[in-house]
Amino acid sequence: MAMTTKSTPQRAAEGAATRERPYVVTLEARLGTPASGKPPVRIFLGTQDEQGRAERVFFYAIERVRDPARVYEIHVMKNLAGYVRKGWRTGFTNYRFAIPDYAGRTGKAIYNDVDQIYTADPALLFDLELGDHGYLAVSANDTSVMLLDCARMAAWWNLDTATRGTKGQLLGRVKAQRGLWGPLEAGWNARDMEFVAGRSMLLHYTAMHTQPWHPFPKDYAYRHHPLGEVWYRLERAADDEGYEVFTRQRPSPQYREIIAQYRRSPGDDTGQPELPPAAAKLAAALDVQSVLRFDTPMLGRNAQLVAHSQCHPRESGGPGRATEQLPPHQVRGRLWTPAFAGVTTEIDQQAQPFDAVVAAGLLQRLPAEDVPWVLAEMFGQAGKLVYVAVDCQDGGSHLCARDPAWWRTQIAAAAARHPHVVWRLDAIDRNRRGQPTTVAYQSNLAGAKAATPPRIWVLAGPRAGDRSQLLALADSLGWPYEVKELA
């Protein structure tokens, strides 16, 4: 089968280098399972910001097939600093060639691109013997799945060569060394229609314009992938379980660093700010009586959580303003803020969720990896409304400076499990003249008032343009929907 060439847009990859090293997600042996005694399975994952959906399903697929008695260390290589990116076809092209150094030049390591899912335990790949070879792959040129001997490969692939050389140069050097490459069984890198259910151990979605999770909607008119349903089934299962890579109990490493900065910086109480006008208008329409609000006007200063109870948006503050609050000891609910994970103030353990949860100016200050679980917490606390305002403009204090469409995708994913909660996103961006402008997205207001959400089918045919318009229309409704493929 001819191999499909990848050509990933480089907008996000350039200028987004914020990490010196990969961060590690450790999957410990499951509780109640005796430890295997085998060394941890080390996996290095090449990815970029736009691949958030693919990352989550990659992790979830491993959780489904892994040995519960063994430890798995997944080193996420994303937004790494120091690389010359000229000529890269993805946002992570050369990261794989620095793995020997990232692994301490010792032991074995697996490399995976993010557009893959395991259908068999990756420990089976990790435990293969390399013999005299430095790396195993389906071909000397195809390094999208590899098993490496880090000590042996460090002479050719290391941080110095990876940050300065091109992919062609780095591959050419090792191909010139007889016996350095060794063949890997094809089932460990079944590319698109090479995949055979029950026999292949990994499915690799190589064709960019058919990847089921549509990471670059502005650059591709996406077409149906014949094996797309394999990926969608995994994502639906992850949704049903409420699975996230990171959670409030286990946030990302960078999140912990940010929280340490919060705790070292003195805060001051600036009182209870009013609701943003758009949030207040929706609160009035939905008869919102209580609001849980997250506010961080400045990172490291003024970090606070304000809970408004029995808000009456139409009273003395004028239309769209929430001015009446009961004293904190009378507020229903639990005071919790993602700025201080694990620090909560118990108000009433028997309380129901707040009617609305509002976060203005907070989420863009958090790592992108933590945005999904923070949004999940917000929707879990909200009975009627979630309102989010973010600043999409670049800035030193904005870790998560993404475009409005990225934020909309994140919120829609969290909202899918809460169809009765109305949501609105106000994203501050810049227009073509460089002036600030607000891009607003909002779910269907009537959906929250319906006894059950309507059943929506998208009848998708083979024409990519028609399909894109249909999916955009279904997304705009704000309700869950199913895609039915027409033959």
Side-chain angles (χ1 to χ4, degrees):
M1 174 181 176
M3 186 174 176
T4 304
T5 300
K6 297 184 181 181
S7 182
T8 303
Q10 289 297 298
R11 294 184 313 275
E14 295 175 355
T18 58
R19 294 185 174 96
E20 294 299 322
R21 294 184 56 83
Y23 65 83
V24 184
V25 179
T26 302
L27 309 180
E28 302 287 354
R30 295 202 177 113
L31 291 176
T33 305
S36 70
K38 296 180 179 179
V41 177
R42 289 197 299 182
I43 299 173
F44 286 77
L45 176 66
T47 183
Q48 61 192 97
D49 289 325
E50 293 85 353
Q51 298 286 5
R53 285 178 72 191
E55 280 182 42
R56 176 174 176 249
V57 172
F58 179 88
F59 274 86
Y60 182 72
I62 291 177
E63 289 281 18
R64 297 262 296 222
V65 299
R66 75 182 182 99
D67 180 353
R70 199 161 179 182
V71 174
Y72 294 68
E73 297 174 353
I74 303 177
H75 301 244
V76 181
M77 300 188 293
K78 177 166 59 175
N79 296 337
L80 297 179
Y83 287 81
V84 177
R85 300 170 184 271
K86 184 177 180 180
W88 285 23
R89 292 185 180 276
T90 71
F92 48 88
T93 295
N94 273 26
Y95 293 166
R96 70 198 73 187
F97 303 117
I99 289 175
D101 275 353
Y102 291 141
R105 299 195 173 194
T106 183
K108 293 189 290 186
I110 296 172
Y111 171 74
N112 289 112
D113 283 350
V114 71
D115 53 3
Q116 303 166 357
I117 53 175
Y118 277 99
T119 56
D121 185 359
L124 300 174
L125 171 58
F126 185 79
D127 291 338
L128 292 177
E129 294 295 333
L130 284 97
D132 294 329
H133 303 300
Y135 73 105
L136 305 182
V138 292
S139 75
N141 284 321
D142 189 343
T143 56
S144 55
V145 179
M146 289 189 290
L147 178 65
L148 299 93
D149 180 330
C150 296
R152 185 165 187 198
M153 292 306 299
W156 293 274
W157 293 346
N158 52 61
L159 194 56
D160 182 58
T161 59
T163 52
R164 294 188 295 106
T166 67
K167 183 179 180 181
Q169 291 169 342
L170 293 162
L171 287 175
R173 291 169 185 167
V174 300
K175 286 192 296 182
Q177 307 298 317
R178 184 175 180 179
L180 200 58
W181 164 75
L184 179 66
E185 184 180 348
W188 286 113
N189 193 357
R191 297 158 293 190
D192 299 303
M193 299 312 295
E194 295 174 348
F195 181 80
V196 179
R199 290 174 52 190
S200 301
M201 292 77 80
L202 179 145
L203 172 54
H204 186 178
Y205 293 94
T206 68
M208 294 294 298
H209 67 289
T210 63
Q211 289 180 336
W213 54 95
H214 301 176
F216 301 101
K218 292 183 179 180
D219 300 284
Y220 295 95
Y222 282 97
R223 293 181 175 272
H224 170 67
H225 194 293
L227 296 175
E229 185 56 28
V230 178
W231 193 91
Y232 287 128
R233 279 200 300 268
L234 280 172
E235 186 179 51
R236 286 195 296 268
D239 290 344
D240 291 344
E241 294 181 20
Y243 174 81
E244 297 292 350
V245 178
F246 297 108
T247 65
R248 177 160 60 96
Q249 293 75 24
R250 193 181 70 178
S252 75
Q254 193 173 19
Y255 181 92
R256 297 187 186 98
E257 296 173 5
I258 293 171
I259 303 317
Q261 295 175 15
Y262 270 88
R263 288 171 174 160
R264 286 195 299 266
S265 302
D268 59 306
D269 187 357
T270 58
Q272 295 185 345
E274 298 172 352
L275 290 178
K281 184 176 180 179
L282 283 170
L286 295 168
D287 191 28
V288 165
Q289 298 297 310
S290 60
V291 178
L292 186 64
R293 176 167 178 162
F294 303 158
D295 288 285
T296 54
M298 292 181 65
L299 184 62
R301 275 186 20 190
N302 301 331
Q304 59 182 307
L305 171 86
V306 180
H308 306 270
S309 184
Q310 295 189 357
C311 299
H312 301 286
R314 298 186 184 277
E315 294 193 0
S316 60
R321 310 183 85 178
T323 57
E324 285 197 8
Q325 295 89 35
L326 293 177
H329 67 276
Q330 297 181 38
V331 175
R332 294 184 298 106
R334 174 180 294 185
L335 298 181
W336 173 84
T337 171
F340 295 95
V343 179
T344 59
T345 302
E346 301 292 344
I347 302 300
D348 182 353
Q349 293 188 10
Q350 305 302 317
Q352 298 299 311
F354 287 81
D355 285 345
V357 178
V358 173
L362 168 67
L363 296 186
Q364 77 268 13
R365 303 177 188 278
L366 303 179
E369 292 79 9
D370 295 279
V371 167
W373 70 261
V374 172
L375 286 170
E377 293 271 358
M378 291 177 64
F379 275 91
Q381 292 274 3
K384 296 181 179 180
L385 169 67
V386 167
Y387 173 84
V388 173
V390 293
D391 189 344
C392 299
Q393 301 173 41
D394 290 338
S397 63
H398 295 174
L399 287 175
C400 198
R402 307 289 185 264
D403 64 28
W406 185 90
W407 286 106
R408 187 205 170 284
T409 299
Q410 298 299 315
I411 295 175
R417 297 190 288 274
H418 303 273
H420 297 300
V421 177
V422 172
W423 60 266
R424 179 183 172 95
L425 165 67
D426 284 340
I428 301 172
D429 204 2
R430 291 188 181 273
N431 60 23
R432 293 180 179 178
R433 291 175 293 182
Q435 298 172 331
T437 184
T438 299
V439 181
Y441 298 96
Q442 182 175 312
S443 66
N444 194 299
L445 191 62
K449 300 178 180 179
T452 58
R455 173 175 291 182
I456 299 175
W457 287 358
V458 176
L459 306 181
R463 293 175 60 90
D466 293 347
R467 183 186 185 91
S468 297
Q469 292 182 61
L470 289 169
L471 291 174
L473 176 59
D475 284 338
S476 69
L477 295 175
W479 290 310
Y481 61 86
E482 300 177 63
V483 178
K484 301 292 184 180
E485 303 291 346
L486 298 180

